[in-house]
């Protein structure tokens, strides 16, 4: 059927075949009611294409396919073969890297350079890392006395439901799929309706590489309809969610109906602390990248900078200079662009509403604070925004803005810095800038956060676990810990004596 694919030409001239359907059981199908959702290029606010949007009937079909696959040949496969398939999939992502980066730049508004160097490179690394784990996930033996042998199998949990956001479209699906498949599960993924295209293109690669039908199912659709149908579905064994804290809360409530295992990677208001002995130039550079990368749409963005009072004024002046030097806003496909448009009109308006809140609360606007007018006047661009003189009671110091928007405030001593670093509902990341090794380690221990960066920001690595404290969620992704949510143990007690 013709409305299941479209030939697209991207703004950079690349042409490719874009799937538009639902990917169920290795086939492209229409949504059961024929519903579609348009996806927009935020650089020009024009529709790219309309993509089939699933409803709960389609979720049922996807779950049936995933269950069949789980009970079928996927389960029987030698674990090394599973690893090889993931490895081959990583090679295909590498071969199609330019197209995938182009799609994410067009659909999300991120720069092509960032898509290529962060999203695609990261997706390849994740697939290879978990490909290596596929044949190293195993249980253990416990033999407490001569009459008893017990062993613990580490089995796949079953059909996984993944609900993902729009900020790293390809990377987000791979972050869930790679460990889920390595551990022997099957998966139903709901992509973000704002950015469905790269995950659908990727689904074709899953098929091409020879992963059996039903192991991977990819649905576009609205959160309230498809996301909640997945969270509620009795045929799904666990939910892995990334997105906002309020939606995470809702997903957990819905999943409670069937007591599903849930892992959540939600919001943040990650602090970056700069002590007076820090390398100021490096703190400014990392601080800038830590919030302004990816248009500020990063869950662990260091959006709250706390600077020792002795160096506070200098820091603010130098931070503003760094923004002016580096944060070139514009066309995502131009190679010198640092910042593209915000992903949607909603996000664009949300950031601007926090600008108003900051002004009303009496914070001092250092730069930015308005829509950025580019050539032609189209696109959801926002000038990189810095507020200084921010106090902890202000909404802009507490709430996740999710844009190129940072607040800077002074502190007076280490104890105050730690207390204020911990004074939000979140705990995803935190940076500590100091040359004093004792202080770095002392402060790192006291901050309630799943990740701490010493003298950097938003450094990550597929081998290192990532996840939240407090209302930034629970469960870990990446590293060995990242496999845990996708396995379940079974304990087998063997009576060697056979007498009662
Ligand atoms: P969201 O959390 O509502 O969306 C994330 C995913 O959940 C999407 O696939 C969405 O369709 C789905 N969803 C929405 N409602 C659902 C429901 N009731 N049941 C199940 N699934 C549901 O995030 P949204 O609205 O796109 O962005 C709002 C804010 O969320 C952002 O401004 C930002 O603060 C935060 N956010 C955080 C992200 C992170 O990486 N932690 C990523 C994206 C957004
Ligand atoms: Mg889009």
């Amino acid at each position: 059927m013709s409305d299941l694919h479209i030939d697209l030409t991207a703004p950079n001239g690349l042409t490719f075949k874009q799937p538009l359907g639902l990917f169920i059981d290795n086939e492209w199908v229409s949504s059961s009611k024929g519903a579609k959702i348009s996806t927009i290029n935020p650089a020009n606010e024009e529709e790219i294409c309309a993509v089939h949007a699933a409803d709960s009937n389609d979720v049922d079909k996807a779950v049936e396919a995933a269950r069949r696959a789980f009970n079928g040949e996927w389960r029987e496969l030698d674990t090394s073969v599973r690893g090889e398939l993931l490895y081959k999939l990583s090679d295909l992502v590498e071969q199609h890297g330019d197209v995938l980066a182009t799609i994410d730049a067009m659909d999300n508004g991120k720069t092509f350079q960032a898509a290529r160097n962060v999203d695609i490179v990261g997706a390849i690394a994740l697939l290879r890392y978990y490909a290596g784990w596929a044949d190293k996930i195993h249980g253990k033996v416990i033999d407490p006395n001569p009459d008893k042998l017990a062993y613990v199998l580490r089995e796949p949990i079953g059909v996984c439901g993944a609900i993902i956001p729009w900020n790293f479209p390809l990377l987000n699906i791979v972050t869930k799929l790679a460990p889920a498949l390595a551990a022997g599960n099957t998966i139903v993924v709901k992509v973000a309706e704002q950015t469905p295209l790269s995950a659908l293109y990727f689904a074709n690669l899953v098929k091409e590489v020879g992963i059996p039908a039903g192991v991977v199912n990819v649905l576009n659709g609205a959160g309230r309809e498809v996301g909640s149908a997945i969270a509620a579905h009795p045929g799904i064994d666990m939910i892995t969610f990334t997105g906002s804290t309020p939606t995470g809360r809702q997903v957990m409530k819905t999943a409670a109906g069937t007591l599903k295992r849930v892992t959540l990677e939600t919001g943040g208001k990650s602090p970056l602390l700069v002590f007076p002995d820090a390398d100021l130039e490096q703190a400014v550079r990392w601080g800038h990248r830590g919030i302004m990368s990816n248009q500020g749409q990063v869950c662990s963005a260091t959006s709250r900078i706390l600077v020792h009072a002795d160096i506070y004024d200098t820091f603010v002046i130098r931070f503003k200079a760094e923004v002016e030097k580096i944060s070139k806003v514009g066309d995502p496909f131009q190679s010198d662009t640092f910042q593209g448009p915000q992903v949607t009109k909603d996000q664009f308006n949300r950031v601007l509403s926090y600008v108003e809140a900051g002004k009303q609360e009496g914070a001092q606007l250092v730069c930015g604070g308005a829509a950025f007018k580019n050539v032609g006047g189209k696109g959801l661009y926002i000038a990189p925004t810095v507020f200084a003189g921010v106090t902890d009671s202000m909404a802009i110091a507490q709430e996740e803005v999710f844009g190129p928007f940072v607040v800077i405030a002074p502190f007076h001593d280490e104890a105050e810095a730690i207390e204020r670093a911990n004074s939000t509902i979140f705990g995803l990341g935190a940076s500590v800038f100091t040359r004093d090794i004792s202080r770095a380690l002392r402060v790192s221990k006291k901050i309630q956060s799943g990740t701490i960066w010493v003298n950097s920001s938003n450094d990550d690595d597929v081998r290192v676990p990532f996840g939240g404290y407090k209302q930034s969620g629970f469960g870990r992704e990446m590293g060995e810990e990242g496999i845990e949510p996708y396995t379940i143990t079974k304990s087998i007690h063997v009576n060697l004596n056979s007498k009662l």
Side-chain angles (χ1 to χ4, degrees), residues 164 166-167 190 193 223 227 243-244 247 266 299 347 350 400 402:
I164 60 171
W166 41 259
N167 53 343
K190 191 202 89 66
E193 58 272 38
S244 67
T247 303
T266 54
C299 49
Q347 289 298 314
R350 175 188 171 106
E400 182 174 57
F402 228 60

Side-chain angles (χ1 to χ4, degrees), residues 272-274 280 305-309 311-312 315 408-412:
L272 181 142
L273 309 184
V274 189
L280 200 59
I305 301 181
L306 300 170
V307 186
H308 192 274
I311 53 167
Y312 173 78
F315 184 92
I408 312 182
F411 69 83
H412 299 91

Side-chain angles (χ1 to χ4, degrees), residues 38-42 48 106-109 193-197 343-344:
S38 288
T39 191
I40 305 292
N41 174 353
I48 303 167
M106 179 171 67
D107 204 9
N108 166 284
E193 58 272 38
Q194 299 86 353
T195 58
L197 300 181
V343 67
T344 57

Side-chain angles (χ1 to χ4, degrees), residues 5 53 55 60 68 153 158 160 186 217 230 248 297 320 393 406 427 432 487:
H5 292 90
D55 61 30
D60 288 344
R68 240 187 347 264
L153 294 176
C160 304
T186 61
N217 306 275
I230 288 175
Q297 298 167 156
K320 178 174 186 248
S393 61
V406 70
V432 183
T487 65

Side-chain angles (χ1 to χ4, degrees), residues 22 27 54 63-64 71 107 120 168 185 197 202 210 220 327 332 335 341 343 366 372-373 383 445 447 456 468 476 499:
L22 312 177
E27 299 298 336
V63 173
E64 274 165 36
N71 291 332
D107 204 9
I120 308 306
F168 294 93
N185 299 279
L197 300 181
F202 169 77
N220 180 42
S327 279
S335 62
V343 67
V366 175
F372 177 88
K373 295 289 175 211
K445 226 173 152 178
I447 294 183
S456 72
R476 294 291 178 263
K499 288 194 204 113

